[in-house]
Amino acid sequence: MEQSLTKDISIVIPLFNESASLTELYQKIIEVITPLNVEYEIIFVDDGSTDDSFQVLKKIYAQNPLKIKIIQFRKNYGKSAALSVGFKMALGKIIITMDADLQDDPYEIPNFLNAIKEGYDLVSGWKYKRYDPISKTIPSKFFNYVTSITTGIEIHDFNCGFKAYKKEVTDQISVYGELHRYLPVLAYWHGYKVGEIKIKHFARKFGYSKFGIDRFLHGFFDLLTVLFLVRYTKRPLHFFGIWGFILVTIGVAINGYLGYLRLVYGSIMGKIPLLSFAVLVIIVGIQFISLGLLGEMIANITQPKDEYSIKEIVGDKIS
């Protein structure tokens, strides 16, 4: 029996050293998805595990070879890389991502599918009642609040790995670095409809979390990356030019003040450090503006011709 070239649902599961939870996770997914009567596949991405996760996955594959895919990395590349290759391999019209540690409840899958049917292109899970240590929950709440304010997206849990996507969303958005937590942001700014549902969350049953406090620091740097890439990649002068203009204005204002002192009092003795600061500010401001202009030139040269997202075409097709 040959596998279909398309599926209704692809479940992508990145993992790193989760051998103890994989069999139970697989069994729960099968219990949930079988009654749905859909064509499905489960894609496990082993992100360079050093335990026997891959051996466990091969046993799972032997039970259901037509529905299981396993991708093994040579080393640990991170969650974004695992999701990226999972998205590329997925054949499903709807792609669901979830963690392998059993903290995500597979019985939420129908709720994600219903939300997609309601018209959303991406649905993010919200661990409304979270069973994690306070060392993770407090920084996460602060991180999510800042991200929501700066991006304008009303999502409570950007870090949640339990999400559902339409295939066209994952086809268009590139995932690298630590940008996996910002997929709702990237999708929203590409014009897709983004939603959120409350989901059950469980305490970790096996092993320990692979993420430390440093992920929040990396997350804020990645937030700056996302904000710049989405808002200013095609118009860098709007970013550098604003700051350059502000700095030049400050420098000119200070010099104007010093010029006033020179005319009225005949001397600016004692203000030399301020004069030096004003000149420095003007020079830095001009450099910012110049950098923005260079960026505009590079963006104009390298910009692809078709940088847009088409939702629907009615009538004649574009040749």
Side-chain angles (χ1 to χ4, degrees):
M1 180 177 178
E2 294 183 358
Q3 284 184 282
S4 172
L5 295 179
T6 59
K7 305 286 184 181
D8 296 313
I9 302 170
S10 294
I11 302 175
V12 177
I13 306 173
L15 62 108
F16 177 69
N17 290 347
E18 299 288 357
S19 60
S21 63
L22 293 174
T23 300
E24 183 177 345
L25 174 64
Y26 167 73
Q27 291 171 349
K28 287 184 176 181
I29 291 174
I30 294 300
E31 288 177 5
V32 173
I33 206 164
T34 299
L36 299 179
N37 194 28
V38 295
E39 282 291 326
Y40 70 92
E41 63 180 357
I42 306 173
I43 304 174
F44 293 97
V45 185
D46 182 0
D47 188 17
S49 295
T50 55
D51 63 359
D52 60 347
S53 293
F54 188 63
Q55 286 68 34
V56 175
L57 290 175
K58 288 195 291 185
K59 292 179 181 179
I60 294 174
Y61 173 81
Q63 300 175 33
N64 198 356
L66 295 181
K67 303 292 186 180
I68 304 296
K69 292 179 183 177
I70 304 171
I71 303 165
Q72 184 186 37
F73 287 169
R74 294 183 184 274
K75 66 174 186 177
N76 181 248
Y77 288 99
K79 193 170 185 178
S80 288
L83 289 176
S84 179
V85 73
F87 290 157
K88 290 178 182 177
M89 294 287 291
L91 300 175
K93 299 174 184 176
I94 298 173
I95 299 174
I96 294 174
T97 62
M98 62 187 304
D99 294 335
D101 54 15
L102 292 175
Q103 290 191 268
D104 293 335
D105 187 358
Y107 290 92
E108 298 284 358
I109 289 176
N111 296 329
F112 278 100
L113 297 178
N114 289 335
I116 291 291
K117 290 178 182 177
E118 290 175 4
Y120 290 103
D121 300 303
L122 186 157
V123 181
S124 183
W126 174 14
K127 294 170 284 190
Y128 184 72
K129 189 174 182 180
R130 187 171 177 180
Y131 294 92
D132 278 323
I134 195 171
S135 60
K136 291 183 66 176
T137 56
I138 297 301
S140 182
K141 286 182 179 180
F142 176 72
F143 169 83
N144 286 314
Y145 174 77
V146 171
T147 303
S148 180
I149 291 297
T150 55
T151 62
I153 303 177
E154 296 182 1
I155 286 182
H156 297 83
D157 195 354
F158 287 89
N159 280 317
C160 182
F162 209 172
K163 292 181 173 69
Y165 311 76
K166 287 184 179 179
K167 176 65 172 172
E168 53 262 36
V169 177
T170 61
D171 284 344
Q172 183 168 30
I173 297 175
S174 298
V175 191
Y176 61 90
E178 293 293 325
L179 298 187
H180 58 271
R181 58 176 60 88
Y182 297 114
L183 288 174
V185 178
L186 296 171
Y188 176 79
W189 280 338
H190 273 86
Y192 292 107
K193 187 176 181 181
V194 176
E196 182 180 59
I197 62 171
K198 294 180 180 179
I199 60 172
K200 293 179 182 177
H201 185 250
F202 300 109
R204 176 175 273 275
K205 190 173 182 179
F206 303 104
Y208 58 92
S209 175
K210 311 306 186 299
F211 297 99
I213 193 67
D214 60 329
R215 74 167 177 166
F216 295 107
L217 178 61
H218 296 160
F220 281 114
F221 284 126
D222 288 322
L223 175 59
L224 293 177
T225 300
V226 169
L227 291 172
F228 183 80
L229 287 177
V230 176
R231 293 182 176 178
Y232 300 109
T233 296
K234 300 298 183 294
R235 46 192 178 96
L237 184 60
H238 289 214
F239 177 79
F240 292 106
I242 289 174
W243 291 106
F245 177 77
I246 292 173
L247 292 173
V248 170
T249 301
I250 292 173
V252 170
I254 294 174
N255 280 329
Y257 167 69
L258 294 175
Y260 167 78
L261 293 181
R262 181 70 175 83
L263 291 174
V264 175
Y265 299 103
S267 174
I268 57 171
M269 293 300 295
K271 304 293 184 180
I272 300 302
L274 187 60
L275 174 62
S276 300
F277 174 74
V279 173
L280 177 62
V281 167
I282 291 175
I283 292 174
V284 173
I286 292 173
Q287 288 179 332
F288 263 72
I289 295 173
S290 300
L291 187 60
L293 290 171
L294 288 173
E296 290 283 347
M297 293 172 62
I298 295 172
N300 185 63
I301 294 172
T302 60
Q303 182 174 337
K305 293 182 178 179
D306 297 333
E307 188 70 18
Y308 46 75
S309 172
I310 298 175
K311 182 177 181 180
E312 185 177 359
I313 299 175
V314 179
D316 292 338
K317 295 183 178 180
I318 298 175
S319 57

